[in-house]
Amino acid sequence: RGLNDKSGDFQDVEYASIFGEIADASDGTEDGRLFFSVMNAGSLTERVVIDSNAMGIGTSTPAVELDILDRSTASTVSGARLRLGSNDGTVMVNTDRLGVIEFAGAEDTNSTMTVGARIEAVADSTWSATNNAASLDFYVTTGNADQTQRMTILSNGKVGIGTPTPE
């Protein structure tokens, strides 16, 4: 809470809130929901919801484990975004990993998780204000859990299948 700057008459305003609610109060199957809201253009707006099975960003009814919804007008520059980044305070150089998406599953009844495939974004060169080239590398796992790069898309548009250096 805080006071806004309304001329001559400051108003007490709730700028952000976190609250929980009961989703199911049945004994033995209780579920709850947690809401995070922030002030946006003068209106307290729900931004994140966590329920017993999912998290929603931009939606109060997440349909999958992580559901990100952009409610802005559809255009060529809008749409929900997920950013994976790397910043250790130094400039990215050739082969530095920008981010990775891994696909994994249980390999045994002890819930040992093993990565079956991954996609990596990798710097193609030393970055600067005028050069931030990157490639996408696709890996799959052979039967013995060894991950092998099977496809790459270079910053120059060349695609390699079965080779990390297409010509």
Side-chain angles (χ1 to χ4, degrees), residues 9-77:
D9 182 26
F10 293 102
Q11 295 175 322
D12 187 28
V13 175
E14 186 173 19
Y15 285 92
S17 72
I18 301 172
F19 70 94
E21 75 174 14
I22 298 169
D24 177 1
S26 303
D27 184 38
T29 62
E30 296 90 339
D31 288 324
R33 294 166 51 91
L34 186 61
F35 297 85
F36 296 82
S37 301
V38 296
M39 185 64 69
N40 182 30
S43 178
L44 195 60
T45 306
E46 184 180 287
R47 292 295 185 197
V48 176
V49 174
I50 301 173
D51 68 21
S52 60
N53 297 310
M55 174 188 271
I57 300 174
T59 177
S60 60
T61 55
V64 295
E65 288 81 359
L66 176 59
D67 195 345
I68 303 172
L69 179 65
D70 179 4
R71 294 190 180 276
S72 62
T73 303
S75 72
T76 59
V77 295

Side-chain angles (χ1 to χ4, degrees), residues 5-158:
D5 65 353
K6 184 176 181 185
S7 179
D9 182 26
F10 293 102
Q11 295 175 322
D12 187 28
V13 175
E14 186 173 19
Y15 285 92
S17 72
I18 301 172
F19 70 94
E21 75 174 14
I22 298 169
D24 177 1
S26 303
D27 184 38
T29 62
E30 296 90 339
D31 288 324
R33 294 166 51 91
L34 186 61
F35 297 85
F36 296 82
S37 301
V38 296
M39 185 64 69
N40 182 30
S43 178
L44 195 60
T45 306
E46 184 180 287
R47 292 295 185 197
V48 176
V49 174
I50 301 173
D51 68 21
S52 60
N53 297 310
M55 174 188 271
I57 300 174
T59 177
S60 60
T61 55
V64 295
E65 288 81 359
L66 176 59
D67 195 345
I68 303 172
L69 179 65
D70 179 4
R71 294 190 180 276
S72 62
T73 303
S75 72
T76 59
V77 295
S78 67
R81 293 177 285 189
L82 176 65
R83 177 180 287 184
L84 304 176
S86 178
N87 183 357
D88 64 359
T90 63
V91 173
M92 300 300 292
V93 297
N94 189 41
T95 71
D96 280 355
R97 187 192 300 182
L98 302 168
V100 62
I101 300 171
E102 293 184 338
F103 304 89
E107 69 174 30
D108 56 34
T109 57
N110 294 320
S111 298
T112 304
M113 296 293 287
T114 299
V115 174
R118 75 179 192 262
I119 303 170
E120 293 185 358
V122 179
D124 271 359
S125 59
T126 299
W127 282 23
S128 68
T130 58
N131 178 22
N132 50 16
S135 64
L136 282 178
D137 298 329
F138 296 78
Y139 291 78
V140 295
T141 304
T142 61
N144 62 1
D146 289 330
Q147 292 192 7
T148 304
Q149 184 178 348
R150 294 295 187 191
M151 186 172 87
T152 191
I153 303 172
L154 299 178
S155 60
N156 63 11
K158 292 182 179 179

